[in-house]
Amino acid sequence: MPNDKLRPAPPVGIDIPPGYNEIPLGDLDTLMQTARPVITASVPDRMRDDVPDVLGTLHFLLATLAANNALYSGIGLHRTAEVSGRVAVSWLTVSSFEYGEERNPRLVLSELINVKAEKKSRGTLAIIEGPAVPILYFEWIEKHSVPVFASYPVTSDTPEVFQIEVTVPSADGTSIAVVELSAADPDIGPQYRGMILDMAASITFPQPPSDTGSSSLAL
């Protein structure tokens, strides 16, 4: 999306589905200090020397989310529909942006589609009619380089992550909310489609309190 149009995060309301554990995006240093003994105790002895590197990477990712208007971040654990006892892991983020002048929300989505075309983004794209405004749905599989950790076995495989991004404009076109999901198992990823669309349909853009400029997330 065009960076020159993006300003601080407006407040939004959204329903977060059950099964997600929120990761606070405030005091990350304290969060890492709290997480370190828990992670250290939960991994095999041979992997404990890599815990500082893992925490450093996690700190960087969360700080990047916070700097890019993330209002919510959470890790989800869900039972899969096909295999009994199999647990699916996913990462969920919600962000919001002030986008531009008042206009038809369909024009906002049209512009965002053009930006994806200019970037040659590859995936499945659709406009879905929501209860109040249209929703831009984009789904793709992203390949990542293998992380390098001394205790982690070297593999030639390229990990694939299933990604969904839905963008919801406000009724006056001045703000957008973005819900992003990453699923570690591409085969399970499609099971999240309905959940993400339900989240998109629940989004509202309440007016911020007149005496404060802070943003909020109604859960």
Side-chain angles (χ1 to χ4, degrees):
M1 58 189 64
N3 291 328
D4 60 345
K5 286 183 173 288
L6 304 184
R7 296 188 289 275
V12 300
I14 187 170
D15 296 332
I16 301 296
Y20 282 94
N21 299 297
E22 183 174 3
I23 302 174
L25 297 174
D27 188 351
L28 294 181
D29 290 336
T30 298
L31 176 63
M32 294 303 107
Q33 291 174 7
T34 303
R36 181 166 185 161
V38 177
I39 294 176
T40 300
S42 65
V43 300
D45 291 344
R46 64 182 177 82
M47 299 184 68
R48 288 180 179 173
D49 288 343
D50 289 327
V51 169
D53 291 335
V54 172
L55 289 175
T57 300
L58 180 60
H59 187 288
F60 172 79
L61 291 174
L62 294 176
T64 301
L65 285 177
N68 285 277
N69 287 9
L71 301 176
Y72 174 90
S73 177
I75 292 179
L77 299 174
H78 298 90
R79 298 289 183 184
T80 63
E82 286 83 4
V83 182
S84 176
R86 186 177 180 184
V87 176
V89 179
S90 62
W91 184 296
L92 181 70
T93 62
V94 181
S95 308
S96 69
F97 307 89
E98 291 184 1
Y99 191 73
E101 70 281 359
E102 290 190 19
R103 55 181 169 157
N104 190 312
R106 294 182 184 277
L107 295 178
V108 173
L109 297 190
S110 177
E111 183 175 74
L112 295 176
I113 291 172
N114 288 337
V115 171
K116 288 188 179 298
E118 291 170 1
K119 292 183 176 180
K120 298 182 179 180
S121 301
R122 295 183 177 273
T124 300
L125 185 148
I127 296 290
I128 297 172
E129 294 300 324
V133 293
I135 298 166
L136 176 58
Y137 179 95
F138 189 59
E139 170 189 306
W140 74 104
I141 292 179
E142 189 165 316
K143 295 184 178 182
H144 294 270
S145 58
V146 179
V148 179
F149 295 114
S151 61
Y152 196 82
V154 177
T155 175
S156 59
D157 295 337
T158 301
E160 293 184 337
V161 177
F162 181 88
Q163 308 259 169
I164 295 176
E165 174 192 86
V166 291
T167 304
V168 181
S170 61
D172 62 4
T174 63
S175 302
I176 58 174
V178 182
V179 181
E180 297 176 275
L181 176 130
S182 300
D185 188 338
D187 294 332
I188 293 175
Q191 296 182 25
Y192 289 97
R193 290 168 178 156
M195 182 195 80
I196 294 298
L197 288 174
D198 286 344
M199 289 183 65
S202 77
I203 289 176
T204 58
F205 291 85
Q207 292 297 316
S210 58
D211 60 347
T212 178
S214 63
S215 61
S216 63
L217 177 63
L219 302 181

